[in-house]
Amino acid sequence: MVEKIYKIKGGKKLEGEIELAGAKNVATKVIIASLLSEEKSILENIPEIGDVEITLKMCESLGVKYKWLDKNVLEIEPSLKDYRVPLEYSGKNRVPILFFGPLLHRFKKAEIPIVGGCQIGQRPVDFHINGYQLLGAKIIYQDNVYIASCDKLKGITIELQYPSVGATENLLLGAVLAEGTTVIRNAAIEPEIEDLVLFLQSMGAIIYQDVNRTWIVEGRKKLKGTTFRIMNDRIEAVSFASLAIANQGNIFIKGIDPRGISTFLNYVRKIGADFELFKNGIRFYNSFPLKGIALETDVHPGFMTDWQPPFSIVLTQAEGVSIIHETVYENRFGYVSALNEMGAKIYLFTNCLGSKPCRFCYHDFPHSAIIVGPTTLKGKELEVPDLRAGFSYLIASLIAEGESTILGIEKIERGYENIKERLQNIGAEIKEEVKT
Ligand code: EPU
């Protein structure tokens, strides 16, 4: 088998400018949401990444037509012909489950294979299924497929057990064309969801955000096609910022909206690094020494779980002890043992090492980490376990002594557009090779 790998020489200071791409976790959602109309939509700022490619293939398999009108500009013709998402897409990403809304509204039935995504926890879909059942769908699970049907979806109040991003988005897609009003309580309110809501509004949906994590949706009979530019990727923003700080570099990240990362900016200051805000971006740099800190990941507006792996590499360079309590996914430290082999000192605990009540208490999940720094990292061969861990390996390799080889780079390319070229542009010594 032929495999693409990255070879990285560490230690070089990175300087220059990186421009953010469109948000992965909005792009795939607006592609599916555009299928709620029978008219064409034009989606702008769509990153050309693996996850978008898989989503488009899934849409195509259902009869949808699409074309790239320009770089990052996608036209979707929502000519749905089938209500069955093929089984081959089971396990590829988190997207198939989001087809419930468009397929149930168009065909009154949907068949959806089990969903995948990064292996960072069990990632069940019970909130999605329960929510759609409350909206009026009958759903059974058979041979790895959810088989759903309905006469029509009807608005109702749904209280999520946890403010799940995917379940909130999925139920919004069901609610916008349901009969009557749907209220989603204890919902997720991440900026990516606000962007999806803006997109749905531009299609004609009526959606209010109320206090206490509540979305109120007044169902419409029809939605229209639209033209919409999605937000830039705030996980990319923090990934590149973490790289700049860990590397003692100086990187201007163009296109960051600071409102989406203000919690992260506090931590940048708390560890002793710095940033400078400009109209069109933020420059990150640091003047060592960095200081250890304690942080807990959380739903928005907390410290985002997807920022945790890249930022943990920063903390390996900070003096003293740092503590991370991961409260969103039970298994998001799978990347740590390889870092320890590079020379990091990261210790995992099943205890909640934080002040917030966490769902993973007493469940034997290694969801807290103590990082002792600073440590010198040494290059090594690394196999990427998941997307954000993959980016943390890129950072680790770029600050390590010697050369690293990264395997499984398609997992990184699933979420970061042209990553090798963009890193090369700020001085990274990274090249792609083929391993046979
Ligand atoms: N959960 C359940 N039941 C459900 C749904 C979720 O128990 O039915 C639990 C999950 O197991 C997890 C927690 O709720 O412990 C949060 O999961 P959520 O549903 O919010 O995550 P998601 O929608 O599957 C999206 C992003 C993730 C990001 C999270 C949190 C996409 C495609 N993925 O996942 O992004 O970490 O929200 O912000 O939007 C990434 O981009 O690398 C990534 C993993």
Side-chain angles (χ1 to χ4, degrees):
M1 209 182 81
V2 179
E3 191 189 5
K4 281 195 314 180
I5 58 172
Y6 288 159
K7 292 263 186 202
I8 296 182
K9 273 208 191 101
K12 192 163 165 218
K13 293 257 184 306
L14 303 179
E15 285 183 2
E17 177 178 308
I18 282 195
E19 184 163 359
L20 290 185
K24 158 182 148 331
N25 291 344
V26 178
T28 50
K29 320 296 170 65
V30 294
I31 292 173
I32 311 271
S34 70
L35 310 182
L36 290 163
S37 168
E38 292 184 21
E39 297 170 11
K40 283 184 190 169
S41 284
I42 295 174
L43 310 175
E44 296 171 356
N45 202 26
I46 301 297
E48 294 178 25
I49 52 176
D51 240 16
V52 164
E53 204 181 303
I54 297 168
T55 305
L56 289 172
K57 283 205 180 117
M58 255 182 256
C59 291
E60 207 172 27
S61 74
L62 298 175
V64 173
K65 298 203 175 71
Y66 69 88
K67 60 176 180 244
W68 291 99
L69 299 180
D70 205 341
K71 182 156 167 49
N72 305 120
V73 181
L74 187 61
E75 182 186 81
I76 304 280
E77 192 185 323
S79 41
L80 283 168
K81 299 223 165 24
D82 202 338
Y83 61 93
R84 293 163 302 180
V85 179
L87 205 54
E88 66 188 270
Y89 294 109
S90 142
K92 290 259 197 299
N93 66 7
R94 305 288 300 161
V95 165
I97 198 93
L98 299 175
F99 278 102
F100 269 137
L103 295 179
L104 283 174
H105 286 303
R106 195 76 70 94
F107 301 107
K108 304 196 184 307
K109 46 191 179 180
E111 289 191 14
I112 289 170
I114 48 163
V115 280
C118 290
Q119 297 304 309
I120 49 185
Q122 286 178 11
R123 310 189 77 181
V125 289
D126 49 334
F127 306 161
H128 302 243
I129 302 297
N130 296 343
Y132 267 89
Q133 284 170 333
L134 287 169
L135 284 170
K138 291 192 184 65
I139 305 179
I140 56 166
Y141 183 64
Q142 206 178 309
D143 300 331
N144 297 326
V145 178
Y146 292 98
I147 302 174
S149 59
C150 67
D151 289 333
K152 60 180 156 203
L153 298 181
K154 275 195 180 169
I156 193 163
T157 294
I158 301 167
E159 171 113 25
L160 296 178
Q161 271 168 266
Y162 183 80
S164 152
V165 168
T168 302
E169 293 166 336
N170 204 351
L171 296 172
L172 286 170
L173 299 192
V176 283
L177 286 173
E179 187 183 284
T181 300
T182 302
V183 180
I184 312 171
R185 294 196 198 281
N186 197 29
I189 50 166
E190 268 63 7
E192 289 77 9
I193 298 184
E194 291 181 335
D195 217 35
L196 174 66
V197 164
L198 281 176
F199 175 73
L200 291 167
Q201 284 177 323
S202 79
M203 293 178 83
I206 296 184
I207 306 174
Y208 306 87
Q209 188 176 162
D210 206 350
V211 291
N212 297 332
R213 302 190 159 277
T214 301
W215 292 105
I216 300 170
V217 185
E218 288 179 15
R220 306 285 282 176
K221 288 220 157 55
K222 232 178 169 175
L223 295 180
K224 55 185 184 336
T226 186
T227 296
F228 187 83
R229 182 179 172 84
I230 68 165
M231 65 186 272
N232 283 344
D233 198 311
R234 66 193 181 108
I235 309 178
E236 267 206 348
V238 168
S239 304
F240 295 137
S242 299
L243 171 61
I245 297 166
N247 173 266
Q248 294 185 61
N250 188 333
I251 303 178
F252 176 72
I253 305 175
K254 195 170 166 193
I256 297 189
D257 181 348
R259 286 168 294 192
I261 61 161
S262 61
T263 302
F264 173 75
L265 295 176
N266 289 332
Y267 283 93
V268 171
R269 287 263 157 79
K270 276 166 82 147
I271 60 167
D274 217 342
F275 62 88
E276 210 180 336
L277 290 176
F278 294 88
K279 243 195 202 147
N280 59 343
I282 306 181
R283 187 169 72 88
F284 289 91
Y285 56 97
N286 87 34
S287 34
F288 268 21
L290 298 176
K291 300 185 287 273
I293 41 114
L295 73 85
E296 289 177 88
T297 64
D298 210 341
V299 293
H300 189 72
F303 191 98
M304 205 181 183
T305 171
D306 301 294
W307 301 340
Q308 178 261 100
F311 199 62
S312 69
I313 310 297
V314 174
L315 297 179
T316 66
Q317 303 308 301
E319 277 183 6
V321 171
S322 293
I323 302 172
I324 301 180
H325 182 207
E326 169 61 58
T327 75
V328 180
Y329 290 113
E330 68 274 26
N331 196 12
R332 204 162 197 176
F333 285 112
Y335 62 94
V336 156
S337 53
L339 289 177
N340 284 345
E341 286 167 26
M342 292 178 84
K345 290 187 181 146
I346 307 179
Y347 307 93
L348 297 183
F349 297 86
T350 54
N351 314 54
C352 293
L353 299 181
S355 58
K356 291 179 183 160
C358 160
R359 294 167 297 147
F360 311 138
C361 192
Y362 309 124
H363 282 297
D364 296 332
F365 299 125
H367 70 291
S368 294
I370 290 189
I371 303 177
V372 180
T375 44
T376 304
L377 304 183
K378 294 209 163 51
K380 102 178 246 317
E381 185 171 294
L382 298 156
E383 168 97 44
V384 173
D386 65 79
L387 169 61
R388 307 302 167 191
F391 199 91
S392 77
Y393 285 177
L394 288 180
I395 303 180
S397 306
L398 286 164
I399 64 172
E401 289 176 352
E403 188 175 84
S404 296
T405 302
I406 305 199
L407 311 175
I409 57 173
E410 66 290 343
K411 289 196 178 130
I412 304 178
E413 292 177 349
R414 229 190 82 199
Y416 293 90
E417 188 179 62
N418 286 334
I419 190 62
K420 177 181 54 127
E421 291 77 11
R422 286 155 92 199
L423 293 175
Q424 283 168 339
N425 287 344
I426 52 168
E429 292 190 53
I430 168 169
K431 58 180 191 226
E432 190 178 297
E433 286 183 8
V434 172
K435 191 181 166 199
T436 45

